[in-house]
Amino acid sequence: DTEVTQTPKHLVMGMTNKKSLKCEQHMGHRAMYWYKQKAKKPPELMFVYSYEKLSINESVPSRFSPECPNSSLLNLHLHALQPEDSALYLCASSQLAGVAKNIQYFGAGTRLSVL
Amino acid sequence: AQTVTQSQPEMSVQEAETVTLSCTYDTSESDYYLFWYKQPPSRQMILVIRQEAYKQQNATENRFSVNFQKAAKSFSLKISDSQLGDAAMYFCAYRRSGANSKLTFGKGITLSVRP
């Protein structure tokens, strides 16, 4: 099973709303990632969690707040977003040891539209 | 800093024919990993094939194979017997070995398959 599940698939929100994106994996991976992807562009790394601790923050604005409640779950809390934040948000996970430690498995993403 | 270059934005192939997608990268590291990811319109990033830099043998996965030229820092993907389902955006990616290393993507190439 190499499945990373993201919910919701689509999200429309106003600039004053608060919403959350959810990502779940049951592969025993101890690294989880959030990426932002604009149309026809490569994904851009936002955050990395290793062993449930934030290890990389790519200078992301504070209106994006990640959370890793346990080793299977990763959330991205959204507040006071701007229209330019509209994008596909991808979650990924990987092992931190072993032969497959460098392979990231991606979810299908959440398509976010900020009005 | 590592960079990944995919110079062709689009390519087209006839169904059942063979196509090669090019990728070059720049790094001063000796231990690293290279990947090709496929992203169809369904959005999910799917790992197509990976190559460990320390392995001289080119990786193959069914109809997909790579031509890894370490000295030239080239990592091309060959798709044999192209199928309609191969139509997608393809990203070449690099990751150096070690903890907290990031996945660096190329700009991607859009492959269309003509029936």
Side-chain angles (χ1 to χ4, degrees):
Chain A
D1 181 14
T2 57
E3 189 169 323
V4 176
T5 304
Q6 289 188 244
T7 54
K9 289 187 174 10
H10 302 276
L11 179 63
V12 179
M13 60 186 289
M15 289 190 285
T16 58
N17 291 157
K18 286 186 180 180
K19 296 286 184 183
S20 297
L21 310 185
K22 180 180 172 181
C23 173
E24 200 163 2
Q25 56 88 16
H26 296 287
M27 296 178 279
H29 291 173
R30 302 305 297 275
M32 296 187 77
Y33 312 78
W34 279 116
Y35 288 87
K36 174 183 177 180
Q37 187 181 25
K38 291 283 198 178
K40 300 289 187 182
K41 299 291 186 184
E44 300 172 12
L45 183 65
M46 299 174 72
F47 303 104
V48 180
Y49 273 83
S50 302
Y51 298 108
E52 297 88 67
K53 291 191 180 346
L54 184 65
S55 57
I56 295 177
N57 177 343
E58 289 289 292
S59 301
V60 179
S62 59
R63 57 186 184 269
F64 295 91
S65 176
E67 178 197 19
C68 190
N70 58 59
S71 60
S72 300
L73 191 57
L74 184 67
N75 298 319
L76 186 62
H77 303 297
L78 314 173
H79 173 57
L81 294 193
Q82 303 297 309
E84 60 265 28
D85 296 323
S86 298
L88 180 67
Y89 288 84
L90 293 167
C91 173
S93 70
S94 69
Q95 294 180 11
L96 282 173
V99 295
K101 66 180 179 182
N102 292 294
I103 302 175
Q104 291 187 22
Y105 295 93
F106 286 81
T110 294
R111 175 79 63 195
L112 174 67
S113 297
V114 182
L115 304 179
Chain B
Q2 295 84 13
T3 58
V4 177
T5 302
Q6 295 178 254
S7 55
Q8 306 153 302
E10 296 179 353
M11 284 193 77
S12 180
V13 64
Q14 189 75 35
E15 195 175 5
E17 298 292 306
T18 295
V19 64
T20 298
L21 311 182
S22 63
C23 173
T24 58
Y25 60 94
D26 188 25
T27 183
S28 57
E29 304 285 339
S30 59
D31 190 11
Y32 54 87
Y33 301 82
L34 296 163
F35 308 87
W36 278 98
Y37 280 91
K38 167 187 177 182
Q39 189 175 34
S42 64
R43 310 178 323 200
Q44 180 143 18
M45 295 275 282
I46 303 164
L47 178 66
V48 175
I49 201 165
R50 69 166 174 161
Q51 175 81 42
E52 292 89 343
Y54 62 85
K55 289 188 178 178
Q56 292 187 339
Q57 187 171 8
N58 289 326
T60 62
E61 287 287 343
N62 300 314
R63 297 183 295 107
F64 299 88
S65 61
V66 298
N67 183 2
F68 174 47
Q69 301 288 329
K70 191 172 183 179
K73 296 180 181 172
S74 170
F75 183 61
S76 60
L77 175 69
K78 185 171 82 171
I79 306 174
S80 304
D81 186 26
S82 297
Q83 301 175 359
L84 296 177
D86 294 333
M89 196 153 188
Y90 286 80
F91 292 98
C92 178
Y94 163 99
R95 187 180 191 272
R96 68 170 174 81
S97 184
N100 285 340
S101 60
K102 305 172 192 176
L103 196 56
T104 301
F105 289 93
K107 289 185 176 181
I109 178 170
T110 300
L111 177 68
S112 57
V113 181
R114 304 187 301 276

